[in-house]
Amino acid sequence: MPRFTTLFTLKIFTTRKQIQEYLLATGSKTIGFVPTLGALHNGHLSLIQQAKQGNDIVICSIFVNPTQFNDPKDLENYPRPIEADIAKLTAVNCDILFNPDVTEIYDGNEQWHLNIGQLEFLLEGEFRPGHYQGVTQVVYKLLDIVKPTALYMGQKDYQQFMVVSKMVEIFKLPVKMVMCPIEREPEGLAMSSRNVHLSAEEKQHALILSKTLSWVKAHFDVKNVYNLELEAMNMLQAEPGVEPEYFEIADGKTLLPANENSKTIVALTAARVGKTRLIDNMLMM
Ligand code: AMP
């Protein structure tokens, strides 16, 4: 009996012209799109796997977008292991990698401002001014190039999902938003490209983020929101090497403080662990 092996090749495009010509030639197919900054881990790969289940073609972009970094040092230090990323994308049978240079995306003379209301200034927006303008700017450009059927983004960046959903609504973009669950290390730390900057000791201290979120979830029905937030901040502050920026229990739609009419409630937190800034969140209901 002959044995057939499907040899899988990841197609890599670096210009918008290349990828658009390729997509035009393949005809009408459903496209699942997973935009990333690279330094891929299982969190990213879970998005690709979910996209593969619902679409004919899956495109992952790797683009370290300068306009969403408010800290130049963070941009400079952002990990860029492109060869390892290509191997990971190949292993999960991703169809296309779009990996443009900055000059392919920006012509150096751009204006962008999108009114997304209070979502821009809350939580992450307060600590990373301008971040969501940069995010919406690049996601708009990428959607315009790829024209996907569905956009897969992680719950890990909960506020980012809300911001991009708002943009999709404002421009009435014909794309389905899909939120994928947070992938965690066995001990609970949310996977993040920034985790490579943590020392072994810092990684242990960083567990306090997911532990605190789990503790709050476990006590959600028996304590009030004010006390839960207070105790959560105390737990984070008490951990050596951890400096919390916020811990908020918010309405899952508006991200304003949760109230009795909230249909979904999410607790969100950000903290510095040593020099590394981490975020995490958990649905309470
Ligand atoms: P990034 O490369 O950090 O911009 O992330 C690209 C996408 O992967 C975003 O939609 C993130 O929300 C998602 N993502 C990052 N970390 C995780 C994780 N631990 N679990 C699930 N999705 C994630």
Side-chain angles (χ1 to χ4, degrees):
M1 283 274 285
R3 283 177 57 209
F4 296 97
T5 321
T6 312
L7 275 181
F8 185 82
T9 44
L10 172 73
K11 289 170 195 66
I12 303 175
F13 299 117
T14 55
T15 69
R16 60 173 82 204
K17 188 165 181 285
Q18 284 169 352
I19 192 168
Q20 284 178 328
E21 279 177 6
Y22 176 84
L23 292 173
L24 201 66
T26 55
S28 65
K29 295 213 159 116
T30 58
I31 299 174
F33 180 44
V34 180
T36 80
L37 302 178
L40 302 179
H41 49 68
N42 285 345
H44 298 115
L45 302 183
S46 73
L47 269 55
I48 289 164
Q49 276 152 345
Q50 201 165 326
K52 278 201 79 77
Q53 283 168 23
N55 298 278
D56 302 324
I57 299 180
V58 173
I59 303 176
C60 172
S61 66
I62 295 183
F63 180 63
V64 184
N65 171 39
T67 70
Q68 74 188 68
F69 282 79
N70 50 321
D71 174 357
K73 270 257 160 306
D74 190 23
L75 173 62
E76 192 187 317
N77 293 336
Y78 204 84
R80 292 166 169 89
I82 192 67
E83 292 304 325
D85 285 351
I86 289 171
K88 287 175 190 173
L89 290 174
T90 305
V92 294
N93 290 356
C94 180
D95 299 292
I96 297 174
L97 165 62
F98 182 49
N99 182 214
D101 276 344
V102 173
T103 50
E104 185 65 24
I105 299 295
Y106 296 111
D107 66 12
N109 186 24
E110 312 223 4
Q111 298 282 328
W112 176 266
H113 184 267
L114 183 65
N115 184 358
I116 47 172
Q118 75 254 0
L119 266 181
E120 182 181 351
F121 305 109
L122 295 164
L123 305 165
E124 286 300 285
E126 187 187 336
F127 288 89
R128 302 186 70 186
H131 174 60
Y132 289 123
Q133 288 302 329
V135 169
T136 50
Q137 181 181 30
V138 76
V139 174
Y140 184 86
K141 280 172 175 278
L142 292 170
L143 291 176
D144 188 47
I145 295 169
V146 171
K147 301 208 171 18
T149 319
L151 175 59
Y152 293 78
M153 302 188 91
Q155 184 200 323
K156 163 80 184 350
D157 299 271
Y158 194 95
Q159 189 173 0
Q160 170 172 273
F161 187 91
M162 291 304 163
V163 164
V164 173
S165 300
K166 179 92 186 162
M167 178 182 77
V168 164
E169 187 190 308
I170 291 171
F171 290 117
K172 299 189 173 53
L173 299 176
V175 64
K176 183 176 145 209
M177 294 291 300
V178 183
M179 186 191 273
C180 305
I182 303 177
E183 290 290 315
R184 298 180 178 279
E185 304 281 356
E187 285 186 285
L189 179 64
M191 289 182 182
S192 163
S193 305
R194 290 191 167 85
N195 291 354
V196 296
H197 296 312
L198 298 171
S199 67
E201 200 184 329
E202 285 171 340
K203 237 179 166 178
Q204 283 304 309
H205 294 313
L207 294 177
I208 194 65
L209 274 77
S210 56
K211 277 188 195 157
T212 304
L213 287 163
S214 299
W215 182 87
V216 168
K217 189 175 171 97
H219 293 83
F220 192 70
D221 291 336
V222 291
K223 287 178 181 258
N224 69 39
V225 164
Y226 177 81
N227 283 323
L228 285 169
E229 287 179 348
L230 204 67
E231 290 184 49
M233 277 303 264
N234 288 340
M235 284 169 75
L236 292 166
Q237 256 148 9
E239 185 71 20
V242 175
E243 279 175 43
E245 288 184 347
Y246 63 79
F247 188 102
E248 301 249 348
I249 297 175
D251 181 285
K253 277 249 166 314
T254 62
L255 294 187
L256 290 167
N259 62 54
E260 59 283 3
N261 298 322
S262 300
K263 293 206 171 61
T264 49
I265 294 184
V266 59
L268 308 106
T269 187
R272 287 193 181 271
V273 179
K275 289 201 170 89
T276 309
R277 187 174 185 278
L278 301 178
I279 59 171
D280 200 353
N281 68 79
M282 204 172 273
L283 287 168
M284 300 289 114
M285 57 172 252

